[in-house]
Amino acid sequence: MPKRRSLRMLLFVAAAAVLVFSFRFGFADAWVDQYALPASSWSELSELPAAAAPAVVKPKADPGPDIPLKPQAVVLSQRVTEYHISVALDEQAGSLTGVQTVTWKNPGHKSVSEMYLHLYPNAFAPGSTFIKESKGQLRGDKMTAGGYGSMELTSLRTEQGETLLPRLHFVQPDDGNKNDRTLATFRLPEPVKPGSSVTLRMNFTVQLPDVFARMGKAGEFVMAGQWFPKVAVYETAGMRGRANEGWNLHQYHGNSEFYGDFGIYSVRIDVPATYKVAATGFQTKSPVVSGGRKSLQFYADDVHDFAWSASPHFEYVEDSFSSPGIPGVRIKLFLDPLHMHLKDRYLHAAKSALAKLGAWYGEYPYSTLSVIVPPANANGAGGMEYPTLVTAAAAQDDNPGYELERTLVHEIAHQYWYGLVASNEFEEAWLDEGFTSYSEDKLMASIYGVVPNLPIEASYMTNPEPLNLSSWRFSSSDGYAENVYLRGKLVLSSLERQVGDKMMSKILRTYFQKYKFKHPSASDFQKVVETVTKTKWTDFFQAYVQRGEMADFAIDSITTHKTESGYESLVLVRRYGGSAQQVSLWLQFQDGQSVRKKWDGVQTHVQLKLQSETPLVYAAIDPSLNVVLDNRRYNNYLQAEVPKEQRTRFASGITQIIEGLFGTMVW
């Protein structure tokens, strides 16, 4: 008995120490006062417009979306950052005014003297790298004349009140464009030691652009994505293969998306009282309504970003859902009125996608999933992913086809590869987009029976490039889209064809479970593949990820001549590109006999000698179209009777015709 009492006492002391330690770094603040701003920040709210700090009155609860929830005290990530933000929307000016307190904990083993902030809205200012590279358009949507956006830090102070704004300057590590103001740095008064933290207070304003690329305003609709000053990621040694710890620093580019640390977000949003608000996480209080405005408090933990959208025209629909891998989720639809009659299609797609993803890869750990359907004039805000919040395709048609479901399941699949695994989309975008596109195909086939035509899709690949290129290093925006989305998906499909469906499912589940909340690299994925299959895949990853190749198996030549006993044929088979993999051969003879053979593809070429009673008519390689990365299938078949000179001219002519045709079909 004395030993047990001693053990209990030790456990009590340890628990108390853990509690004190959590307050030491400020992370326990999120559980205090129903997740409002820290008490020390309330004095700063007077700097916002009066509408941003309404008088506390008994709220009139709006129907549906404003029902508060309570979080579960389970820590899933490292929680490097903690944000407390209060933001007010000026709907007339199309602007945001915000106050932010952010605490950053040093995850490394060295002291840090410099801090870096992403000021993403400056991508929409004249002369920015984003506008230069995108030429003011993205995914078919164009920037309206004069519809610029921007962000300004109006105050930057330490917790003790020391101003740091004079130290702030903008940096352009990727292209040296002095007009780009999307990445800023400043020196701290004191270095942040390993394991210690620093708290910064800042005021900021955002001019929302006319929406054409992910964020902005369109009439009374607002999409606030990447809208607050965001701390860059400090990577530790060994993370994503990094030799030395340090900041991961990139500007906002025409092709790139985002990369952030996991943390806690407590966000108060002030909007006109008639607006409905969709946001990352969930609401923790009933709205406070006063003077024609309302203030809503949201909370999210173990996420690496926070986005929100608001409109007085949203039609709200909610349903609860649970299944194996999905403990319980409130699915919240914020629909454009044109699509209100399609609510069942949206709910079915969301529920089905969550159920499949939960069963295939692992648990969805959040309690909400919000789906926003933008209006037709905000198409650029559609088809985008944020933690626990996605935007569907804009409501441009009252009777859309399967593009409704395809867009939605794609964005929900992002909740796993973007939201939870959280790859670096600046440097290895395919680890999100390629994996998501692969999952999208699986979801569409499993739920709706819509099966992709991979051989046709492979034929679109006219300019393969390495997948490990930084997003802005691709030859063009089309090259980025082709490789990151399409070829990335085909690489995974090729791997699946070689290992089988069950093994591929095991690979992806293992990868997800091992690296959720971890920011893995392509090398980390390769290690998982090799561990699960117990096979080396170095050649595969070098060919398709690092060198940017496509597969190309061909019947190079056929020579047939008469012998005393019949005919002898020599068939030269060649692998022009890609890594070795087993491939089938079909050999057809004049008397109707056929022969199937297998070639391991290890050598670059092999010659087959065939003895037969009748002449060989033709040979075909990969007749079942199993090599999904082969984009030059015109050389997979060859007739034996075509003279060599004529065959060469014929093959060359077809090559030019097909390559020219495919070149006009690339998006």
Side-chain angles (χ1 to χ4, degrees), residues 150-191:
S150 62
M151 168 180 277
E152 181 182 2
L153 282 179
T154 56
S155 174
L156 175 62
R157 303 188 299 276
T158 65
E159 194 172 22
Q160 293 73 33
E162 180 178 355
T163 181
L164 301 178
L165 198 57
R167 304 185 182 197
L168 186 81
H169 64 279
F170 295 97
V171 292
Q172 302 83 17
D174 299 327
D175 67 354
N177 175 15
K178 296 303 181 183
N179 293 319
D180 189 80
R181 295 158 56 92
T182 58
L183 184 64
T185 184
F186 55 92
R187 190 167 184 83
L188 294 164
E190 298 291 337

Side-chain angles (χ1 to χ4, degrees), residues 163-311:
T163 181
L164 301 178
L165 198 57
R167 304 185 182 197
L168 186 81
H169 64 279
F170 295 97
V171 292
Q172 302 83 17
D174 299 327
D175 67 354
N177 175 15
K178 296 303 181 183
N179 293 319
D180 189 80
R181 295 158 56 92
T182 58
L183 184 64
T185 184
F186 55 92
R187 190 167 184 83
L188 294 164
E190 298 291 337
V192 184
K193 296 178 180 179
S196 296
S197 62
V198 62
T199 297
L200 301 167
R201 309 186 192 286
M202 55 195 77
N203 293 38
F204 63 94
T205 60
V206 174
Q207 179 60 49
L208 294 167
D210 292 341
V211 63
F212 81 98
R214 305 185 180 98
M215 73 167 294
K217 65 184 187 304
E220 294 181 297
F221 170 83
V222 169
M223 184 68 230
Q226 308 299 330
W227 56 279
F228 59 94
K230 188 174 182 181
V231 179
V233 177
Y234 188 86
E235 296 183 326
T236 56
M239 183 176 172
R240 301 179 54 252
R242 187 166 187 145
N244 300 303
E245 66 181 71
W247 293 100
N248 187 271
L249 302 174
H250 298 297
Q251 300 154 239
Y252 188 4
H253 291 272
N255 289 332
S256 69
E257 292 189 7
F258 313 103
Y259 180 40
D261 270 320
F262 287 95
I264 291 172
Y265 289 83
S266 181
V267 180
R268 192 174 73 185
I269 302 172
D270 180 88
V271 295
T274 57
Y275 278 53
K276 293 184 177 70
V277 177
T280 292
F282 52 86
Q283 204 170 314
T284 60
K285 291 181 179 180
S286 296
V288 177
V289 182
S290 177
R293 308 279 299 185
K294 69 178 176 183
S295 179
L296 306 99
Q297 186 72 36
F298 291 90
Y299 173 84
D301 54 22
D302 302 307
V303 297
H304 53 78
D305 201 0
F306 187 101
W308 58 277
S309 180
S311 171

Side-chain angles (χ1 to χ4, degrees), residues 361 417 435 438 504-512 525:
Y361 307 136
W417 306 121
F435 279 62
Y438 171 89
M504 189 63 179
S505 297
K506 185 176 181 181
I507 287 170
L508 291 177
R509 187 176 183 87
T510 302
Y511 175 63
F512 174 78
F525 177 60

